[in-house]
Amino acid sequence: GSGESYKTIDSVLNIIKDAVDSGFSRKDLFVGIGGGVVCDLTGFAASLFKRGARVQFVPTTLLAMVDASIGGKTGCDFENYKNMIGSFFPAQQIHIYPEFVQSLSKDQYRSGLAEAFKTALLYDSELYEIFKTEKENIIKRDNQIINVIIQKCAKAKAAVVQEDFTEKNIRMYLNLGHSFGHGLETIIGLGKIAHGDAVAWGIGRALDLCVKKDFCTESYKSEVFKILKDYGWEINPIHPLIKGGGTGERILNAMHKDKKNNADKIKLVLQKGLNETFTQEIEDEDIFAVLK
């Protein structure tokens, strides 16, 4: 499964304990080599150690290369809620070696592709076209295509983060699909589904809602749904990994507890079309409507 089950405060404290035992000073360097979870934990530990040591990352998964290692969000999960504890603490350097992508499992690769596709929907119509037309090369992990995907995503994310480091406004757009996705991860059990797969499903739910509220056209939604399906992502409102009934209510509950929302209404990232994004607080009944 994914490393999500290790994403606990205990793991963070273990890293800090090792640093203390090794006689680290604030000038010493923490290095996270691994996927998104390793980067998040190492960055968080570095931010806490003596009120902040230095940190660098070597992301080894596509998800970490296009998303998790960039932008200084660190943290861990708490009591089955994602990233409930954390800090904004940027790495000084990120070393990206695209070769790592070739060794990923199919699930890990697809998980990273989901965050890349999200970036295309938000910021990059060229990248969107690549997803639409180059499925074969993407699936077979053509080196050239992977390099283009990583470069485009890293550039887009870095630009947004630079403008809005602590997520007061435009950085929120990067959460497209995440409110639904985190809700799904929480009720299935953290780590039982790849993060990117949950996000891709969440993008489908968000666009479903956009059509129902007349924010976007049916044709935009169906084109995106076709791409989601092409890459093996779930587009069914009730995800097949969910066990038991009452799924809409359970996901809605988890979404209300998500750190991004104030208690009464859920704020969602929505789209009018490709690269046209906005946020809005949405009534529970409208959210519930796309979960059944």
Side-chain angles (χ1 to χ4, degrees):
S2 93
E4 196 72 37
S5 55
Y6 296 101
K7 204 173 170 182
T8 63
I9 195 70
D10 291 331
S11 298
V12 177
L13 296 175
N14 283 336
I15 297 171
I16 291 171
K17 184 176 171 9
D18 284 344
V20 172
D21 292 348
S22 310
F24 263 43
S25 80
R26 288 184 64 170
K27 292 194 175 66
D28 286 314
L29 178 66
F30 287 65
V31 182
I33 304 172
V37 170
V38 168
C39 293
D40 277 12
L41 292 174
T42 310
F44 192 28
S47 79
L48 295 173
F49 180 74
K50 300 191 175 179
R51 300 202 182 100
R54 298 176 311 140
V55 65
Q56 294 187 14
F57 296 138
V58 182
T60 58
T61 65
L62 182 61
L63 186 121
M65 289 176 205
V66 299
D67 192 53
S69 71
I70 303 163
K73 275 187 178 179
T74 76
C76 61
D77 303 331
F78 184 68
E79 293 186 348
N80 218 24
Y81 294 103
K82 284 201 57 119
N83 303 328
M84 203 42 90
I85 312 174
S87 60
F88 288 101
F89 194 75
Q92 288 178 306
Q93 281 187 306
I94 300 164
H95 308 272
I96 293 179
Y97 302 99
E99 299 77 11
F100 278 119
V101 172
Q102 300 303 335
S103 63
L104 297 175
S105 73
K106 205 173 141 189
D107 284 356
Q108 284 175 318
Y109 178 57
R110 195 180 59 228
S111 183
L113 279 182
E115 291 284 8
F117 183 55
K118 173 205 79 179
T119 306
L121 293 177
L122 291 172
Y123 303 115
D124 195 328
S125 56
E126 253 177 53
L127 185 56
Y128 179 76
E129 281 304 310
I130 291 173
F131 270 97
K132 218 166 92 174
T133 57
E134 297 278 353
K135 182 189 156 193
E136 235 169 82
N137 283 324
I138 291 177
I139 297 291
K140 72 164 200 244
R141 306 189 200 186
D142 173 86
N143 277 323
Q144 225 178 334
I145 288 254
I146 285 174
N147 289 347
V148 168
I149 290 174
I150 293 169
Q151 275 169 351
K152 281 177 161 296
C153 290
K155 198 172 150 193
K157 176 146 189 200
V160 173
V161 166
Q162 200 171 5
E163 207 173 317
D164 178 22
F165 183 59
T166 54
E167 202 169 304
K168 301 278 182 282
N169 42 54
I170 58 163
R171 184 171 180 169
M172 281 178 195
Y173 294 169
L174 293 167
N175 297 316
L176 177 65
H178 281 63
S179 292
F180 285 107
H182 284 165
L184 179 66
E185 286 175 283
T186 293
I187 76 160
I188 292 177
L190 295 183
K192 296 278 195 299
I193 181 174
H195 174 67
D197 289 347
V199 168
W201 175 83
I203 289 170
R205 296 304 84 230
L207 289 183
D208 221 357
L209 190 127
C210 289
V211 168
K212 284 190 160 61
K213 299 284 287 177
D214 276 337
F215 297 143
C216 81
T217 63
E218 180 68 56
S219 66
Y220 176 59
K221 180 194 114 169
S222 41
E223 190 173 278
V224 173
F225 270 47
K226 185 188 178 309
I227 299 170
L228 291 171
K229 212 174 159 183
D230 269 351
Y231 288 89
W233 288 307
E234 185 55 58
I235 53 179
N236 190 325
I238 297 178
H239 198 288
L241 286 176
I242 300 170
K243 304 280 174 268
T247 56
E249 291 92 337
R250 280 154 63 205
I251 288 179
L252 202 51
N253 257 339
M255 286 168 79
H256 273 290
K257 285 210 174 67
D258 195 311
K259 64 190 178 316
K260 294 183 216 23
N261 295 309
N262 52 30
D264 39 348
K265 275 190 189 174
I266 291 172
K267 190 180 211 173
L268 291 177
V269 181
L270 302 165
Q271 288 203 301
K272 295 177 178 155
L274 184 62
N275 302 169
E276 283 187 275
T277 311
F278 65 103
T279 54
Q280 192 162 311
E281 291 195 334
I282 299 290
E283 302 288 343
D284 279 7
E285 65 206 63
D286 291 327
I287 296 173
F288 190 63
V290 299
L291 294 172
K292 56 178 198 267

